[in-house]
Amino acid sequence: MRTDTGQVFKLEDYRPSDFSIPQTGLTFRLSPDATRVTAVLTIERRDGAAASAPLVLDGDGLLLKRIAIDGRELAPADYLATPDQLTILKPPARFELLLETEIAPASNEALMGLYRSSNVYCTQCEAEGFRRITYFLDRPDILSVYTVRIEARLDEAPLLLSNGNPVESGALADGWHYARWHDPFPKPSYLFALVAGNLGQVADSFVTMSGRKVELGIYVEPGKEGLAGYAMDALKRSMQWDEQAFGREYDLDVFNIVAVSDFNMGAMENKGLNIFNDKYVLADRETATDADFANIEAIIAHEYFHNWTGNRITCRDWFQLCLKEGLTVFRDHEFSADQRSRAVKRIAEVRTLRAHQFPEDQGPLAHPVRPRRYREINNFYTATVYEKGSEVVRMIRTILGAETFRAGMDLYFERHDGEAATIEDFLKVFEDVSGRDLSQFALWYHQAGTPNLTVSSTHNPATREFTLEIEQSVPPTPSESRKRLMHIPLAFGLVGAGGEPVAYGGVEGAAVEDGVIHIRKRRHMVRFSGVDERPAVSLNRGFSAPITLSVEQKADDQFFLAGHDSDAFARWQAFNTLLTDALIAAFRQILGGAKPAFSARLTGLAGKIAGDETLEPAYRALALSLPGEADIARDIGRTIDPDAIFAARETLALAIARANQDAFANLYGRLADDGRFSPDAANAGRRALRNILLDYLSLLPGGASLAARHFEAATNMTDRAAALTVLAHRHDGSPEAVKALAGFEARYGADPLVMDKWFQIQASVPGPRTVDTVRELIGHASFSMANPNRVRSLVGTFSSANQTGFHRADGEGYRFFAQTVLEVEKRNPQVAARLATALRSWRSLEPGRQAKAREALLAIAGAENLSADLRDIVERTLA
Ligand code: BES
Ligand code: ZN
C-alpha cells in the first residue's frame, strides 16, 4: 500500500518528460507468488532535454532483479532502485533498457497492477497501476508500441490474452506454453492489460463499415457462457452505433472482453482487451434486473467508445481526465437514449447527476470538472468529472447545434488522433468549426460549484410585454471563494393556456436562439414583445444546463406544466417539483411548522399520470417514484434530520396510495406479467410501472400478502427483487418478509452477484436496527471483505443509501462505518476511500448527528499509516 507522502500534484507544474519510450517489450513468466516480468524498453532522450538529465522511472512496491543497458549489466553506482522509483544517473541519448522485476499477484489485494481473481491472472493499470508491474514513465503522455509475451503453465492458464492482435503461440517445456501479442497503436501504460487463466468463451464477429471482419470474444468463468449473450449483443450494437453516430470504426482484428469477479471499478477500456467487473457482463432474466441489463448495455458501450475517446486520443495528464471520461459518458448516454427512450433516459441521467454530482459540488469535496490539483488521482474519478463532464459536452452541442457539434468532433479525431490531448485542444476544435468564442463557456471546466438561476416573470397586458428577470450566482466552494460569471444555455418555452407554444414578436435583453436563452451576465431582463396573455414558463427544458433554479412559480402554473408541457423532461420536472414542495411542507409539519400543502390536488395528479396511456410506462414509473430522502435533504439544505424526512416521505406515499387505491390496484392487475421476457426498454418499462404500483399498494391493508404473492409469482429477477425490497423495507420482520428473505437466500446462496442484491436489500432497510443486521451479515458465508462488490453491496449501500439507518441518532451507524472503512483499507485503499465519501455532506446534518459524524471522521483520520487514498478523502472532508 502506498502510504501518504503529502505530495500535491499541480496542473501548472506539467512539463513533458525528458525521455520517450517508443517501444515496450514485456515478457511475463506467470506464477501466483513470484511472477517474473522482463521489460525491454527503447528509450530516447527528447529533443531539447538536458544531456545531464537522469532518467527517473516510477515504481510502486517493486523488487528489481536485473538491470542492463544495451545488453550490459549496470553497476550499482549507475542507478538507484527503491520500491517506488528507479533512477538511472547518466543514461545515453538512445538505448535499450532491460529490467527484471518480481511480483506476487496472489497476494495483491489492492487489485491494482497484476493480481489474481478466482485463479485468473488479470491487470488493472489505470490510473497508476502499471508501476506495480515494472518501472516505467507511468504517465498518460508517454505513448509506446507494446509487444507482450506471456508464459504460463498450460493447465493453470490455457488462455493468454493481451492488447492488440495475437501474433503467435505455442508449447514450451515442462507443461508451459506461451502467446505473443502486438498492439500497433501507441498507447499510454494505463491501457496495458494481460489476462491469463481458464475461462469460457463466447465468440462472435462484426464487419466494420469498411468491410473488415473483427473477431469478438467475451470470456467468463467456465459454465457462465450462457450469461454473456446480452453483453455480446450490446457490444455489436455499440460498434454499429459509433460508426453511424460518430463515424468511428474499430481498428484491430480482435476485440476481447474479460469478466472477473474481483474488480475495483465497473470496467476498464484497455486497448482491444476490456476488463469488466462480471456484474456488468453476466445477465439473464433469472439473475439480473432490468437495471442490470441497462447498466451492462451502457458500460459495454462506454468502454468500447473509449477506443476513440480515450485510447486513440488520450489525456496529456490526469488533470485532463474529463477529456476522455466526460466525453465518453456523453457518448454512452446518447447511445442509450437512441437504443431506449430518450425522455426516460434523460430523466434518469438528471436524477443521477443530482443524487451524486450536486452533493459533491455543494460539499467539501467540490472540484472543477478539470481539477487543478490532486493528492491521489484515484479520488478524482468523480461524479463531477464524469457526469458534470458529460453535461458540459452536451451544452457545447446545445450551443453549437448538432451538425456543427459533429463537425467539431470530426475535427477533433482528425487533428488529435494518436496524441495525448488537453481540454484546451478539445474546446479549440469547436471554436474553429463554429467561429464562436468559447472562453466564457470554458469556465464550466475550470470553476467548481453548481450555478443557480433566480427567475421571476411579469406580464404587462397593456404593452403586451412578457419579461423574465434572470439572475445568476455561483456559490463559493473550497479554495474558490469568488466566482466568475458563466455562460449558461437555458432552454425554455412559453406555454399558452391550451398547452401550445406562445408566439412572440421580438426579444431583447439576451441572445435567444432556437429556444435557448444565453445567460452570460449577472442579470438579464429578457423582454418578449407581442405577448397578449401571461404564459406559463417552462425553464431548463431537457435540463439544458446542470444548474439549480429558484423560480417564483405559481402552483397553478406548476400543475399546468406537469400536465401539459410538451418537453417531456420539463413536464416530469414540474411534477417532481410539486412532490418536493409537498414533502418539504410535510417535513416542516412533522417538525411542528407549517400547514399541510395541496395534498388532494397532488395525489389526484399522481393518479392521472399513472393512468395516462399516452405516456410511456417507464416515464410514468419515474414520475411516480418520489424524490429520495437524500434528494429532499439536499433541497432542505441544512440541519437535516433524516428521521423527519423519512416520516414526511412515508406520509406523502401513503396519501398517494390511499387516494388512488382502486385505480392503482386495477392498473397493477392489467400490467400482470405474461411470463414472456425481454430485457428491452418497453418491457422493462411495464415492469417498472407495475413494481412502483406494488410499492404504493403495499402500504395499504393486505400489502404484505400482496407483495408476498408478487414475490412468489415472479418469473424474473426484476419482479422478485422488487417484491423482496417491498417486504423487507415496508414489512420488516413480518412473516412474509422473513420467509421471502430465507427463500431468496436458499435459492441464490451459491450465486455471489445475486447475493449482492440480498445484501443490498437488507442493508437499506430503514430504521435503527439495520446497523446490527449489517454487522451480522459481515459474518455471512457469502460475504467477503476482500471482494469490492460484496463490500459495496453491504457496507456501501448501508452508508450511502440508508438515510435513517446510517444516520442513526446515537451515531452507531457512523462508528460501524469508521471501523469498517479502516478494515477495508488494510486490503484495498481505493475501495475504502470511495466508501469514505459517504460522509461528505456531514455538515448539513443537525448538530447532534453532525458532532457524531465528525468524531467518526476524526477516528479514521487518526488511524496509523493511513493510505494516500483515504487520507486525502478524510482530510478534505474535514477541512
Ligand atoms: N476508465 C474507467 C475505469 C477506471 C476508473 C479506471 C477509475 C481507474 C480508475 C472506465 O472507463 C470507467 O469510466 N468505468 C466506469 C463505468 C462507466 C460506465 C462510467 C466505472 O468503472 O465505474
Ligand atoms: Zn470511462
Side-chain angles (χ1 to χ4, degrees):
M1 165 170 112
R2 249 194 303 176
T3 44
D4 188 33
T5 57
Q7 191 181 351
V8 176
F9 297 89
K10 298 181 182 151
L11 172 60
E12 69 256 30
D13 292 346
Y14 172 84
R15 61 178 208 93
S17 163
D18 288 334
F19 295 89
S20 64
I21 311 181
Q23 303 276 342
T24 298
L26 296 170
T27 300
F28 289 82
R29 193 159 172 90
L30 293 171
S31 107
D33 301 305
T35 288
R36 263 312 152 108
V37 183
T38 310
V40 178
L41 313 177
T42 305
I43 301 188
E44 290 173 7
R45 184 180 291 128
R46 279 245 167 78
D47 291 342
S52 61
L55 172 65
V56 183
L57 300 179
D58 306 296
D60 184 356
L62 290 176
L63 180 63
L64 182 66
K65 290 285 186 176
R66 205 183 139 199
I67 177 166
I69 283 184
D70 296 329
R72 280 190 309 110
E73 309 288 320
L74 289 200
D78 298 337
Y79 68 95
L80 216 82
T82 72
D84 299 344
Q85 206 164 65
L86 173 65
T87 307
I88 297 171
L89 298 165
K90 292 192 175 118
R94 198 200 135 86
F95 61 104
E96 200 182 82
L97 177 65
L98 180 143
L99 299 171
E100 240 180 67
T101 49
E102 192 180 284
I103 53 182
S107 45
N108 179 350
E109 290 192 290
L111 313 184
M112 284 293 276
L114 177 68
Y115 65 95
R116 300 261 285 176
S117 173
S118 311
N119 293 328
V120 174
Y121 293 92
C122 64
T123 54
Q124 170 58 37
C125 291
E126 187 177 4
E128 298 179 336
F130 190 72
R131 61 185 66 182
R132 293 165 64 96
I133 295 172
T134 188
Y135 294 102
F136 203 75
L137 291 173
D138 191 14
R139 44 187 281 173
D141 60 347
I142 296 292
L143 307 184
S144 191
V145 172
Y146 285 66
T147 306
V148 177
R149 179 184 165 97
I150 311 169
E151 301 179 1
R153 287 177 43 153
L154 182 60
D155 59 348
E156 188 189 47
L159 176 76
L160 307 174
L161 301 175
S162 190
N163 313 95
N165 296 318
V167 184
E168 77 174 291
S169 59
L172 296 169
D174 303 323
W176 285 63
H177 72 143
Y178 77 98
R180 215 151 61 84
W181 290 79
H182 177 74
D183 180 1
F185 295 95
K187 67 168 172 288
S189 51
Y190 81 85
L191 290 174
F192 166 78
L194 171 159
V195 170
N198 181 19
L199 289 161
Q201 181 193 17
V202 175
D204 207 326
S205 65
F206 179 83
V207 178
T208 69
M209 60 199 215
S210 72
R212 281 190 314 100
K213 190 174 176 203
V214 182
E215 301 299 336
L216 309 177
I218 299 187
Y219 296 88
V220 299
E221 190 181 305
K224 300 211 164 150
E225 295 84 350
L227 298 174
Y230 186 77
M232 182 61 89
D233 180 56
L235 173 61
K236 289 189 287 181
R237 286 185 282 121
S238 304
M239 296 179 84
Q240 164 76 48
W241 185 89
D242 212 14
E243 293 187 346
Q244 164 253 311
F246 282 92
R248 295 299 107 198
E249 188 177 3
Y250 187 64
D251 50 11
L252 291 164
D253 303 338
V254 301
F255 185 78
N256 288 320
I257 292 175
V258 177
V260 299
S261 45
D262 300 83
F263 201 73
N264 282 346
M265 304 295 299
M268 178 64 210
E269 71 266 26
N270 317 299
K271 181 81 186 188
L273 179 54
N274 290 1
I275 299 183
F276 270 62
N277 187 324
D278 60 0
K279 153 186 175 100
Y280 296 121
V281 172
L282 305 175
D284 67 2
R285 67 189 283 180
E286 175 67 18
T287 56
T289 62
D290 291 323
D292 293 327
F293 281 103
N295 282 332
I296 290 170
E297 177 179 80
I299 300 184
I300 292 271
H302 178 98
E303 307 310 338
Y304 173 74
F305 296 156
H306 267 314
N307 191 54
W308 276 96
T309 51
N311 301 4
R312 289 286 287 258
I313 305 179
T314 194
C315 301
R316 187 193 72 172
D317 52 67
W318 292 120
F319 298 101
Q320 319 296 329
L321 185 57
C322 63
L323 178 74
K324 74 176 177 84
E325 294 302 349
L327 175 56
T328 304
V329 169
F330 172 74
R331 277 153 52 70
D332 84 55
H333 283 175
E334 283 299 296
F335 168 74
S336 294
D338 283 347
Q339 302 285 311
R340 292 169 174 252
S341 151
R342 188 160 278 272
V344 168
K345 174 67 181 159
R346 189 64 187 139
I347 294 165
E349 283 160 18
V350 173
R351 287 186 84 143
T352 306
L353 181 85
R354 288 187 176 139
H356 298 107
Q357 200 278 326
F358 277 21
E360 189 165 272
D361 231 355
Q362 292 159 15
L365 301 181
H367 57 273
V369 171
R370 187 180 70 184
R372 277 179 294 277
R373 48 214 343 90
Y374 63 77
R375 277 168 73 177
E376 177 50 63
I377 188 57
N378 281 330
N379 292 335
F380 279 82
Y381 289 75
T382 60
T384 297
V385 168
Y386 276 67
E387 314 300 329
K388 190 175 178 181
S390 164
E391 294 301 321
V392 177
V393 177
R394 181 175 299 277
M395 285 190 284
I396 296 177
R397 190 182 62 176
T398 301
I399 292 169
L400 266 55
E403 248 174 66
T404 310
F405 174 76
R406 171 65 197 271
M409 287 302 300
D410 289 349
L411 179 60
Y412 177 66
F413 293 124
E414 188 189 309
R415 191 183 276 177
H416 296 291
D417 185 15
E419 292 181 5
T422 62
I423 286 303
E424 282 73 16
D425 294 330
F426 184 67
L427 284 168
K428 184 75 167 45
V429 297
F430 296 109
E431 291 192 321
D432 288 355
V433 293
S434 69
R436 287 179 193 249
D437 173 2
L438 295 176
S439 52
Q440 187 184 12
F441 180 81
L443 282 176
W444 282 104
Y445 282 107
H446 307 322
Q447 189 163 275
T450 308
N452 179 261
L453 291 181
T454 305
V455 185
S456 60
S457 63
T458 46
H459 180 244
N460 184 338
T463 58
R464 302 172 62 224
E465 210 172 60
F466 181 70
T467 306
L468 286 174
E469 186 177 342
I470 307 176
E471 201 171 312
Q472 70 160 295
S473 62
V474 187
T477 54
S479 80
E480 278 180 14
S481 50
R482 290 182 50 113
K483 301 286 184 178
R484 293 195 282 162
L485 295 169
M486 319 261 300
H487 175 187
I488 300 170
L490 183 69
F492 78 106
L494 305 184
V495 188
E500 77 291 349
V502 170
Y504 49 85
V507 55
E508 55 184 58
V512 177
E513 305 168 358
D514 300 329
V516 174
I517 306 174
H518 291 266
I519 309 294
R520 288 170 171 278
K521 300 190 293 182
R522 176 162 321 279
R523 194 159 159 274
H524 290 262
M525 296 285 274
V526 189
R527 289 200 170 78
F528 299 89
S529 59
V531 180
D532 293 322
E533 287 188 18
R534 196 185 67 84
V537 210
S538 164
L539 288 169
N540 210 18
R541 282 185 157 176
F543 201 69
S544 63
I547 57 170
T548 53
L549 280 172
S550 313
V551 191
E552 256 179 55
Q553 181 92 294
K554 295 199 179 71
D556 280 346
D557 279 356
Q558 205 73 266
F559 272 104
F560 175 73
L561 292 172
H564 298 97
D565 202 317
S566 60
D567 181 88
F569 172 80
R571 186 172 172 185
W572 169 84
Q573 181 61 68
F575 184 58
N576 199 259
T577 303
L578 287 166
L579 291 172
T580 304
D581 291 349
L583 287 162
I584 293 177
F587 168 82
R588 302 219 191 285
Q589 199 190 17
I590 282 158
L591 293 184
K595 55 177 179 7
F598 31 68
S599 190
R601 212 171 158 191
L602 192 57
T603 56
L605 182 54
K608 222 173 128 224
I609 292 174
D612 186 343
E613 300 289 341
T614 67
L615 299 170
E616 293 170 89
Y619 179 95
R620 290 186 261 161
L622 276 174
L624 290 173
S625 87
L626 295 181
E629 294 152 66
D631 299 317
I632 306 163
R634 219 175 35 253
D635 281 322
I636 295 171
R638 36 190 286 278
T639 58
I640 299 306
D641 174 351
D643 293 330
I645 291 175
F646 178 78
R649 196 169 178 275
E650 291 299 289
T651 306
L652 180 59
L654 186 60
I656 292 176
R658 283 196 177 132
N660 297 288
Q661 181 159 3
D662 295 340
F664 280 9
N666 205 292
L667 183 54
Y668 174 83
R670 277 187 284 133
L671 286 163
D673 178 18
D674 64 4
R676 281 179 307 202
F677 181 86
S678 159
D680 67 35
N683 278 275
R686 279 194 289 279
R687 284 186 287 273
L689 181 55
R690 182 162 177 264
N691 285 329
I692 190 124
L693 293 170
L694 170 69
D695 194 25
Y696 281 110
L697 293 168
S698 75
L699 294 167
L700 302 170
S705 55
L706 177 68
R709 284 199 301 278
H710 193 109
F711 181 81
E712 293 301 335
T715 62
N716 58 74
M717 183 52 74
T718 302
D719 292 338
R720 192 170 291 124
L724 187 62
T725 305
V726 163
L727 286 168
H729 290 198
R730 303 223 185 266
H731 301 280
D732 185 19
S734 69
E736 290 91 343
V738 171
K739 178 165 176 247
L741 280 167
F744 194 97
E745 181 188 14
R747 184 162 177 174
Y748 299 109
D751 188 332
L753 291 178
V754 184
M755 285 304 281
D756 283 344
K757 301 183 196 306
W758 190 77
F759 287 130
Q760 263 171 44
I761 289 169
Q762 295 181 81
S764 48
V765 172
R769 295 214 312 269
T770 302
V771 64
D772 302 318
T773 315
V774 173
R775 273 216 168 92
E776 206 175 293
L777 286 173
I778 282 184
H780 192 277
S782 298
F783 186 80
S784 158
M785 274 291 183
N787 180 281
N789 288 355
R790 299 304 91 74
V791 170
R792 281 188 287 252
S793 296
L794 190 59
V795 188
T797 300
F798 174 68
S799 56
S800 65
N802 186 340
Q803 299 296 309
T804 51
F806 178 52
H807 299 285
R808 198 169 102 167
D810 65 358
E812 194 51 31
Y814 307 145
R815 274 191 292 279
F816 160 76
F817 171 75
Q819 196 185 358
T820 313
V821 164
L822 286 171
E823 196 174 327
V824 172
E825 193 217 19
K826 284 186 226 149
R827 298 189 161 94
N828 194 324
Q830 209 177 320
V831 168
R834 222 157 245 276
L835 272 185
T837 61
L839 270 179
R840 66 184 166 201
S841 301
W842 67 280
R843 279 206 174 82
S844 308
L845 295 162
E846 50 81 23
R849 286 178 172 88
Q850 202 179 119
K852 296 187 167 80
R854 185 164 174 273
E855 274 171 38
L857 283 163
L858 288 170
I860 298 176
E864 272 174 31
N865 293 325
L866 224 53
S867 61
D869 307 64
L870 189 52
R871 179 163 303 285
D872 174 42
I873 294 290
V874 282
E875 288 189 355
R876 279 192 286 141
T877 303
L878 279 164

